[in-house]
């Protein structure tokens, strides 16, 4: 049971503590290389910034050609067919998959990139909130559908410069791509539509945000805010309740999709929305292979899907539901990974158990299984089978009493020591009467980071599939010099080293943590642009936080992804000139990054960062 006394002790001690004291470092594996770069100051302007001695190459921009003959490209004249063979919009997740398959090379590979959503007011001139509804024709909507999803892009490095290779791998996954449904919910009547009476294939990957990589060389795309494109209402009360829990039909920011393509109209096709909100596996090494929605991993607004192997070979996937007061999940496969048998690994994510986290105030964590027939997940509560539990994952987790978190986003495990980091972006809606030890601030504007400790961590043999973990707060984001923010870090932050709204993160090959931020329209609360921060611990476990990258105004920073040699860092810069900038648009943008061409709007683009002397990034 949660210990009320311990929680009160926690609150009273945290109120006066200047910095956080973490678990003692018990393994030499956590002694990391120190940061060797000069941290950037905070600020905001039209450009991106890196420390002295580092440079960024703009590798891919929205509209860049991936395959076929080059033609004159311009947003004003592009059609959906053109968009289908060009880099998509709002790049988020980035995976570098070395070629050949199974190698650890850092000079040649497949870049696998999610395209989360579109910003029509920056894709076409003359649009604003009023005119947009009339201006979004069927053809423009088809371009949006072709601009979201995923890009597989072969890239290679020669003489220090990266370039796109058109060698047969390059392709786009869009909102129209044929995708298989697999796992326990595939074939459920609740996934059946006019176009797919079997409930086993659907069209498209919608709003893939972050994702993950599997040890067998596939990538996972996490479908997040799929509700935005559906409009209308179902007539069946059970589906109405289901759609309401996911915000489907009520917050349609793209309602022209349902006007031009009836499958997005819930009145016409009430179960189409149940075919989105899944983790989707793609084999980028096999051109033409269909993506597969792995329903065993549940249906919600998945932020990411981070894969780690348990010591017994079972596959563990951490994934979070990115909305205020939603949950942290973990999938554990039934089968075990076979290093020398790629084909046998392709169904590992179809059979296993999905768990949701309950974080007790005494700093223990319990993983609660979402199994049909157990506890409240029965017919009496409207769950006829496991498919129902997975389609309505959120309601199942509500009934199990999971812990409501402050917008959980990326989750990563440190490969050096097995500790698990869960980034919580913010939650302005949390009130003082709803605090708990894992969500200790009301009106949480700046977000925080939880660190989970599976049995065995920090160490070499870490039981990621165990029923119980410990947890602690790694950082409470915000300005530590401003007492009212109650921000705390486990070490030093300097002038530019503190951050807000942690969203994505990654570990470099040395085991240092890199945190990317997405303040959204709230960035004026700090007054600075989003970015990327490096943090490294010394032998005493004290961290040094430094700002490494500053994004152009209105953009968030996604990826980050390192090559295995630590010498290349991919950053996906999403929606430059957009967030929190009233009046900024195609015609009069707050920045024209990265082209700074008066004829072009700002473009979401992918950067590759290197050190000018070719050294390891961060050293
Ligand atoms: Fe797409 Fe959770 O950010
Ligand atoms: Ca995100
Ligand atoms: Ca990540
Ligand atoms: Ca975000």
């Amino acid at each position: 049971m949660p210990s009320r006394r311990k929680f009160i002790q926690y609150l009273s001690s945290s109120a006066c503590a200047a910095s956080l004291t973490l678990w003692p470092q018990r393994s030499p594996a956590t002694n990391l290389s120190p940061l060797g770069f000069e941290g950037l100051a905070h600020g905001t302007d039209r450009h991106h910034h890196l420390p002295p001695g580092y440079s960024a190459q703009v590798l891919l921009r929205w509209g860049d050609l991936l395959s076929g003959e080059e033609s004159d490209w311009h947003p004003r004249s592009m059609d959906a067919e053109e968009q289908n063979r060009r880099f998509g919009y709002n790049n988020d997740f980035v995976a570098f998959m070395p070629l050949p398959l199974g190698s650890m090379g850092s000079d040649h590979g497949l870049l696998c990139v999610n395209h989360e959503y579109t910003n029509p007011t920056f894709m076409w001139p003359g649009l604003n909130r009023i005119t947009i509804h009339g201006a979004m024709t069927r053809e423009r909507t088809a371009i949006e559908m072709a601009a979201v999803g995923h890009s597989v892009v072969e890239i290679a490095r020669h003489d220090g410069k990266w370039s796109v290779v058109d060698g047969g791998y390059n392709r786009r996954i869009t909102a129209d791509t044929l995708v298989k449904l697999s796992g326990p919910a595939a074939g459920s009547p609740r996934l059946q539509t006019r176009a797919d009476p079997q409930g086993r294939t659907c069209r498209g990957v919608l709003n893939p945000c972050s994702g993950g990589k599997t040890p067998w060389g596939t990538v996972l795309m996490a479908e997040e805010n799929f509700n935005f494109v559906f409009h209308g209402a179902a007539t069946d009360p059970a589906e109405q309740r289901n759609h309401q829990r996911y915000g489907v039909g009520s917050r349609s920011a793209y309602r022209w999709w349902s006007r031009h393509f009836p499958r997005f109209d819930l009145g016409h096709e009430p179960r189409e929305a149940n075919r989105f909100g899944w983790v989707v596996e793609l084999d980028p090494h096999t051109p033409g292979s269909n993506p597969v929605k792995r329903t065993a991993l549940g249906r919600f607004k998945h932020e990411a899907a981070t894969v780690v192997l348990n010591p017994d070979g079972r596959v563990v996937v951490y994934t979070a539901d990115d909305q205020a007061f939603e949950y942290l999940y973990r999938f554990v496969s039934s089968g075990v990974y076979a290093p020398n048998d790629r084909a046998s690994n392709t169904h590992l994510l179809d059979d296993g158990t999905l768990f949701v986290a309950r974080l007790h105030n005494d700093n223990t964590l319990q993983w609660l299984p979402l199994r049909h027939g157990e506890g409240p997940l029965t017919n009496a509560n409207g769950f006829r089978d496991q498919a129902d539990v997975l389609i309505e994952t959120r309601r199942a987790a509500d009934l199990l009493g999971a812990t409501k978190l402050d917008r959980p986003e990326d989750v990563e495990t440190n490969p050096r020591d097995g500790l698990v980091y869960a980034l919580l972006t913010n939650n302005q809606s949390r009130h003082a009467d709803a605090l708990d030890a894992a969500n200790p601030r009301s009106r949480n504007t700046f977000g925080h980071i939880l660190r989970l400790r599976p049995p065995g961590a920090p160490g070499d043999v870490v039981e990621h599939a165990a029923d119980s973990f410990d947890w602690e707060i790694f950082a409470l984001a915000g300005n530590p010099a401003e007492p009212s923010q109650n921000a705390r870090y486990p070490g030093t932050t300097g002038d530019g080293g503190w951050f807000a709204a942690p969203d994505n993160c990654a570990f470099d090959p040395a085991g240092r943590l890199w945190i990317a931020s997405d303040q959204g329209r709230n960035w004026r609360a700090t007054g600075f642009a989003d970015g990327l921060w490096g943090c490294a611990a010394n032998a005493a476990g004290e961290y040094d936080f430094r700002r490494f990258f500053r994004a152009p105004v209105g953009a968030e920073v996604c990826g980050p992804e390192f090559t295995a040699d630590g010498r290349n860092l991919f950053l996906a810069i999403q929606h430059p000139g957009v967030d929190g900038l009233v009046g900024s648009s195609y015609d009069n943008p707050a920045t024209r990054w990265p082209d700074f061409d008066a004829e072009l709007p700002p473009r979401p683009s992918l950067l590759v960062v290197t050190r000018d002397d070719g050294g390891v990034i961060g050293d």
Side-chain angles (χ1 to χ4, degrees):
M1 288 293 290
S3 157
R4 177 90 189 143
R5 184 184 298 158
K6 275 199 176 170
F7 176 44
I8 290 167
Q9 280 173 352
Y10 167 84
L11 283 180
S12 53
S13 65
S14 67
C16 56
S19 70
L20 284 166
T21 305
L22 301 174
W23 293 310
Q25 305 287 302
R26 285 191 297 195
S27 161
T30 51
N31 296 342
L32 309 173
S33 308
L35 299 176
F37 63 89
E38 190 182 315
L40 293 176
H42 288 315
T44 311
D45 62 28
R46 294 178 297 147
H47 300 272
H48 69 258
H49 298 270
L50 284 159
Y54 286 86
S55 303
Q57 179 190 343
V58 181
L59 181 57
L60 287 158
R61 303 162 295 183
W62 168 50
D64 281 356
L65 189 73
L66 303 185
S67 57
E69 287 291 301
E70 185 56 284
S71 56
D72 285 342
W73 179 85
H74 197 277
R76 290 173 192 261
S77 54
M78 181 173 61
D79 59 18
E81 199 180 323
E82 273 290 306
Q83 178 65 80
N84 267 318
R85 60 192 192 103
R86 291 175 179 274
F87 197 61
Y89 209 82
N90 275 344
N91 33 215
D92 197 298
F93 174 70
V94 183
F96 178 76
M97 313 291 278
L99 287 172
L101 173 63
S103 77
M104 290 287 283
S106 296
D107 293 314
H108 182 206
L110 301 176
L111 212 53
C112 299
V113 183
N114 279 348
H115 300 291
E116 187 176 357
Y117 64 100
T118 51
N119 294 113
T121 55
F122 290 81
M123 295 167 75
W124 293 283
L127 303 192
N128 59 41
R129 282 183 182 190
I130 314 286
T131 61
I132 194 169
H133 292 279
M136 288 308 291
T137 59
R138 191 178 196 283
E139 177 58 24
R140 282 182 172 179
T141 308
I143 293 170
E144 285 190 286
M145 291 173 66
V148 298
H150 192 88
S151 291
V152 178
V153 193
E154 184 180 351
I155 59 170
R157 188 178 186 193
H158 298 289
D159 300 329
K161 195 168 164 55
W162 288 89
S163 54
V164 171
V165 178
D166 185 4
Y169 290 107
N170 296 357
R171 59 167 160 154
R172 289 294 323 284
I173 308 296
T174 71
D176 199 42
T177 300
L178 191 70
V179 179
K180 293 179 187 167
L181 294 156
S182 75
S188 163
R190 298 183 65 188
L191 297 186
Q192 295 170 0
T193 61
R194 288 175 172 82
D196 172 30
Q198 305 300 316
R200 293 185 181 278
T201 53
C202 74
R203 289 276 174 193
V205 176
L206 290 182
N207 305 81
C209 189
S210 192
K213 299 188 280 190
T214 69
W216 51 96
T218 63
V219 294
L220 303 177
M221 303 173 258
E223 289 186 313
E224 194 190 38
N225 296 308
F226 64 94
N227 58 313
F228 285 172
V229 299
F230 291 93
H231 191 61
T235 51
D236 174 0
E239 291 304 348
Q240 280 178 1
R241 178 184 60 185
N242 169 31
H243 293 335
Q244 191 176 14
R245 185 65 183 82
Y246 291 88
V248 169
S250 62
R251 289 181 57 205
S252 179
Y254 298 79
R255 62 184 60 173
W256 49 90
W257 283 44
S258 62
R259 203 165 69 228
H260 300 304
F261 297 89
R263 69 179 168 117
F264 300 111
D265 176 352
L266 298 161
H268 174 77
E269 198 60 274
R271 294 183 293 274
E272 179 73 357
N274 292 348
R275 293 140 64 82
F276 299 91
W278 303 102
V279 169
V280 192
E281 185 171 7
L282 172 70
D283 179 1
H285 296 280
T286 308
S289 60
N290 294 105
V292 184
K293 298 198 177 188
R294 302 292 181 190
T295 65
L297 277 71
R299 175 173 169 267
F300 44 91
K301 297 182 188 174
H302 290 272
E303 165 71 19
T306 304
V307 181
V308 61
L309 283 179
N310 203 51
D312 61 7
R314 284 182 291 168
V315 177
V316 173
V317 187
Y318 292 100
T319 176
D321 189 347
D322 178 10
Q323 196 164 322
F325 302 110
E326 292 300 337
Y327 307 124
L328 174 65
Y329 296 85
R330 179 195 70 176
F331 170 83
V332 180
S333 70
S334 300
V336 298
Y337 168 61
N340 300 316
D341 183 3
R342 189 168 194 241
S344 82
N345 297 317
T346 55
H347 299 293
L348 281 174
L349 301 184
D350 282 339
D351 187 10
T353 306
L354 183 66
F355 298 81
V356 66
R358 186 189 289 161
L359 285 77
H360 295 293
N361 289 337
D362 66 359
N363 296 88
T364 59
L365 182 155
Q366 193 182 355
W367 290 107
L368 310 167
L370 283 85
R371 280 193 204 101
H372 180 255
E374 290 188 14
L377 308 184
T378 60
N379 255 314
N381 285 316
F383 299 105
R384 289 162 301 184
D385 53 20
Q386 186 65 15
D388 279 351
V389 171
L390 295 169
I391 291 166
E392 295 191 71
T393 301
R394 281 185 169 184
R395 193 167 68 85
D398 294 341
L399 289 168
L400 290 172
T403 299
K404 298 179 188 302
L405 298 167
D406 287 348
R407 274 193 69 191
E409 298 226 43
D410 202 2
V411 185
E412 290 283 347
T413 63
N414 186 338
R416 290 293 193 96
D417 62 18
L419 293 171
V420 183
Y421 292 70
L423 277 57
L424 312 188
T425 288
N426 56 32
N427 183 359
Q428 302 268 11
S429 304
R430 188 176 289 277
H431 296 299
D433 59 1
L435 301 183
D436 55 36
N439 304 276
R441 290 189 294 188
S442 58
R443 287 188 56 78
N444 183 3
T445 305
F446 305 107
H448 57 290
I449 299 177
L450 300 176
R451 189 158 75 166
L452 317 183
R453 182 167 66 176
D460 296 331
V461 183
V462 178
E463 301 291 339
H464 288 280
D467 291 337
S468 304
F469 288 14
D470 293 330
W471 69 269
E472 65 180 347
I473 288 180
F474 177 72
L476 290 168
N479 184 355
E482 178 52 67
S484 65
Q485 295 182 10
N486 192 21
R488 290 181 293 126
Y489 296 83
T492 55
T493 53
D495 282 347
W498 63 273
F499 53 86
D503 183 337
N504 296 294
C505 68
F507 288 92
D508 67 21
R512 293 173 293 214
L513 175 63
W514 297 78
I515 298 164
S517 72
D518 173 17
Q519 301 172 93
R521 69 171 76 103
N522 287 334
W523 65 266
R524 288 182 201 279
T526 62
F528 58 67
D530 280 317
L532 181 75
W533 283 260
C535 45
N538 63 19
E542 295 156 348
Y543 281 78
D544 173 14
F545 293 83
R546 296 186 194 180
R547 187 195 266 266
F548 179 77
F549 179 79
R550 220 172 84 194
V553 65
E556 71 170 284
V557 177
C558 301
E561 170 80 338
F562 291 88
T563 52
D565 63 3
R567 294 169 197 271
N568 305 276
L569 165 63
F570 299 99
L571 294 177
I573 308 306
Q574 198 180 138
H575 54 73
V578 178
D579 272 6
L581 295 159
V582 176
S584 181
S585 69
Y586 183 108
D587 306 284
N588 186 25
T591 178
R592 290 188 189 274
W593 188 91
D595 304 286
F596 295 100
D597 176 337
E599 296 300 309
L600 285 171
R603 293 200 269 176
S605 301
L606 196 136
L607 302 179
V608 52
V609 175
T610 51
R611 233 170 80 173
D612 297 341
D613 63 4
V616 170
I617 289 168
D619 278 4

